[in-house]
Amino acid sequence: MRVLLRVFSFLDLISLVFMAMQLWAVAKHFSQFTLLSEKIQGLLMFPMFVLVAIGAYGLFFQKRYGFISYYIQFLFRLYLWVFSIGFITLLPEAFSNYDDNWFPILLKVCFAAEFVRLYLTVKAHYKLRHNHANGVWE
């Protein structure tokens, strides 16, 4: 389980890199947003960045707050499209394939993978919690 949680932490670090680029764009163009939903998404990206950073650190060291942070993030990840393997949606562009045929498929894969990650995180959390003899987190 330790390796799995470190992989999730690494995937979150990749997400942070892409989120940083998005945050820069949001900060630069926030005044141009006209729809309320765009403004809400833009505002939620900033605390989401902090939550993902806290969660990545906590999961790497298997701390309780890492799991709690991920549980809080989960619904916001779906709303903001901050997926653990969201970078795969950029693969067609990396191979110079700019048609929009692959994006819907890869987005569905990302969505399903996030639910698989939630399941595995809950399972790891349960296993770690019950492996501690005295019930105290490290």
Side-chain angles (χ1 to χ4, degrees):
M1 288 292 164
R2 176 174 291 177
V3 173
L4 179 70
L5 294 174
R6 291 201 172 163
V7 167
F8 289 159
S9 180
F10 179 71
L11 290 173
D12 283 346
L13 291 177
I14 293 172
S15 295
L16 285 172
V17 170
F18 288 111
M19 281 180 71
M21 291 187 284
Q22 284 180 308
L23 286 175
W24 180 255
V26 166
K28 239 174 136 175
H29 303 291
F30 188 77
S31 63
Q32 298 171 355
F33 292 163
T34 56
L35 297 174
L36 180 62
S37 63
E38 289 176 337
K39 289 182 180 185
I40 291 172
Q41 286 178 345
L43 289 175
L44 286 176
M45 286 298 286
F46 292 97
M48 184 65 180
F49 184 84
V50 173
L51 275 175
V52 172
I54 290 169
Y57 182 81
L59 284 179
F60 187 81
F61 294 108
Q62 299 176 357
K63 299 292 184 182
R64 185 178 196 175
Y65 62 84
F67 292 101
I68 293 170
S69 173
Y70 179 71
Y71 299 147
I72 293 169
Q73 293 170 33
F74 182 74
L75 290 177
F76 294 106
R77 281 178 177 262
L78 300 181
Y79 178 68
L80 298 172
W81 289 12
V82 177
F83 299 116
S84 299
I85 60 168
F87 58 88
I88 68 168
T89 60
L90 302 173
L91 289 178
E93 292 177 19
F95 295 119
S96 299
N97 184 359
Y98 297 105
D99 57 349
D100 290 334
N101 296 338
W102 284 102
F103 182 76
I105 296 167
L106 294 173
L107 184 64
K108 291 174 187 171
V109 169
C110 291
F111 211 87
E114 202 62 45
F115 280 96
V116 170
R117 178 183 171 173
L118 176 67
Y119 170 76
L120 293 173
T121 302
V122 169
K123 192 173 179 179
H125 187 189
Y126 180 80
K127 186 175 180 180
L128 283 172
R129 187 172 183 159
H130 286 82
N131 280 347
H132 291 281
N134 59 2
V136 176
W137 289 82
E138 296 177 0

